[in-house]
């Protein structure tokens, strides 16, 4: 045996002598602990495999379509492979229509709107109080129902029918048989449904747009118009005045103004106009004019009621 090999044996013997072998019971406990660890690891591995198999089975069952088994057939030839029927499509649920369509127009009776009156009876006009009656009576004469307003014709495009008359009156303290104190041009106009308020709006604008105009084409005299505040007559009203230089019977200025009032009163689609025109240069008496305006409104109310 060589010298090197002998040296290796001596080193191995010396190393073995220094290690102390454990007692038998300690070796047995260590072996039991290792056996229990291997058993626990094996059980854990089996549990993981079982859980994975169950999850995979559920996924396959959920993903695959329901297939009816093919009926058994008895034939002499080889059995054909079962044909898998395609899954029937799931019927889609159509949402039921809403009970009410949004923004639907309101239901109507199908009947056209009431066109309103198509004629104007005599009873629609007011009568003067006994103290203001001159005994002359009313005259149904043709003519304008408003003073000229720079050529404007407010509301004329919506007129259905119209009647007018002229009526002289006296103040209560004027003896009967004397010259009248003034005269009215009283008209009643029926407009198309919903257009009477437009007519009054056009009248207001016409007065605003015509603050001054010539009295006539051959005269140098001018007439001025302006709106006045007005409330308390019918559904709405328009009040304005015309103003010119006051003149005597010879046409010479007297140093004052001749003022006349015009009031248009609406009730529904009907408008009555009271235009005070004076008598031989007189101006409008405001108290008398307001009283007769109320009588005109009341006559319209009784007619339409």
């Amino acid at each position: 045996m060589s010298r090197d090999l002998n040296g290796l044996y001596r080193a191995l013997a010396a190393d073995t002598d220094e290690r102390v072998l454990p007692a038998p019971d300690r070796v047995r406990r260590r072996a039991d602990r290792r056996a229990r660890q291997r058993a626990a690891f094996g059980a854990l591995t089996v549990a993981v495999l079982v859980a994975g198999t169950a999850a995979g089975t559920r996924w396959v069952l959920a993903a695959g379509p329901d297939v009816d088994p093919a009926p058994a057939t008895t034939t002499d030839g080889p059995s054909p492979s079962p044909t898998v029927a395609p899954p029937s499509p799931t019927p889609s649920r159509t949402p039921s229509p809403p009970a009410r369509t949004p923004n639907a127009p309101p239901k109507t009776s199908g009947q056209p709107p009431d066109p309103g009156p198509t004629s104007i009876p005599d009873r629609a006009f007011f009568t003067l109080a006994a103290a203001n009656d001159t005994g002359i009576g009313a005259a149904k004469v043709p003519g304008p129902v408003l003073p000229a307003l720079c050529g404007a014709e407010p509301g004329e495009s919506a007129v259905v029918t119209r009647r007018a008359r002229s009526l002289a009156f006296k103040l209560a303290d004027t003896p009967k048989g004397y010259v009248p104190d003034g005269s009215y041009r009283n008209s009643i106009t029926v407009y198309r449904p919903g257009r009477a308020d437009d007519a009054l709006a056009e009248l207001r604008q016409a007065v605003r747009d015509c603050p001054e105009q010539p009295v006539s084409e051959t005269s140098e005299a001018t007439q001025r118009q302006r709106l006045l505040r007005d409330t308390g007559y019918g559904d709405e009203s328009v009040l304005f005045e015309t103003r010119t230089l006051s003149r005597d019977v010879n046409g010479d200025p007297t140093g004052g103004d001749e003022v006349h009032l015009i009031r248009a009163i609406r009730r529904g689609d009907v408008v009555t106009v009271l235009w005070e025109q004076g008598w031989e240069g007189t101006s409008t008496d405001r108290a008398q004019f307001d009283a007769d305006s109320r009588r005109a409104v009341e006559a319209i109310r009784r007619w339409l009621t």
Side-chain angles (χ1 to χ4, degrees):
M1 183 178 298
S2 66
R3 187 178 302 173
D4 294 336
L5 186 59
N6 288 332
L8 292 173
Y9 272 113
R10 283 194 300 272
L12 178 62
D15 182 68
T16 303
D17 292 341
E18 292 178 0
R19 295 181 179 274
V20 180
L21 294 176
D25 56 345
R26 185 176 179 182
V27 173
R28 190 179 301 109
R29 286 196 302 272
R30 183 180 300 173
D32 292 342
R33 185 167 58 251
R34 289 179 179 176
R36 285 194 300 271
Q37 289 176 351
R38 285 195 297 270
F41 179 76
L44 178 61
T45 303
V46 171
V48 170
L49 290 176
V50 171
T53 303
T57 302
R58 286 197 300 271
W59 181 83
V60 171
L61 292 177
D66 295 336
V67 180
D68 295 333
T73 57
T74 56
T75 59
D76 295 337
S79 301
S81 60
T83 302
V84 179
S88 59
T90 303
S92 60
R93 296 178 60 86
T94 303
S96 58
R100 180 180 179 274
T101 304
N103 300 326
K107 294 183 179 180
T108 60
S109 61
Q111 298 179 353
D114 184 6
T118 56
S119 62
I120 302 169
D122 290 343
R123 63 186 178 88
F125 291 92
F126 81 99
T127 57
L128 292 167
N132 305 122
D133 190 359
T134 62
I136 299 175
K140 298 179 178 64
V141 295
V145 297
L146 287 169
L149 294 170
C150 300
E153 296 181 344
E156 288 303 299
S157 62
V159 173
V160 174
T161 186
R162 172 183 288 149
R163 286 185 63 188
R165 66 177 188 168
S166 295
L167 180 65
F169 68 90
K170 71 179 187 69
L171 299 179
D173 56 357
T174 300
K176 204 162 188 176
Y178 275 54
V179 174
D181 293 300
S183 65
Y184 292 124
R185 180 67 170 163
N186 180 209
S187 66
I188 299 174
T189 304
V190 178
Y191 291 91
R192 294 203 303 268
R195 294 297 305 277
D197 52 348
D198 295 336
L200 262 61
E202 292 175 17
L203 176 58
R204 290 189 188 94
Q205 192 60 46
V207 176
R208 293 190 187 101
D209 293 343
C210 185
E212 186 174 308
Q213 64 183 341
V215 173
S216 66
E217 295 179 357
T218 60
S219 173
E220 295 181 357
T222 59
Q223 175 179 288
R224 291 163 289 160
Q225 293 80 223
R226 70 184 181 106
L227 288 170
L228 302 176
R229 183 179 178 83
D230 196 39
T231 57
Y233 296 89
D235 296 332
E236 63 173 319
S237 61
V238 176
L239 176 65
F240 66 100
E241 69 172 22
T242 62
R243 187 179 293 265
T244 58
L245 288 177
S246 180
R247 299 176 184 274
D248 58 21
V249 293
N250 297 320
D252 298 325
T254 61
D257 286 339
E258 184 178 332
V259 181
H260 298 289
L261 296 178
I262 303 94
R263 178 178 276 133
I265 307 165
R266 180 179 70 84
R267 182 178 175 87
D269 293 320
V270 176
V271 173
T272 183
V273 176
L274 199 61
W275 174 12
E276 203 284 311
Q277 297 178 320
W279 192 279
E280 296 180 355
T282 61
S283 292
T284 302
D285 182 279
R286 179 64 184 267
Q288 184 65 46
F289 180 75
D290 289 346
D292 288 334
S293 294
R294 287 189 289 270
R295 295 176 72 87
V297 173
E298 180 61 20
I300 295 294
R301 186 195 66 79
R302 288 197 303 266
W303 166 44
L304 296 177
T305 301

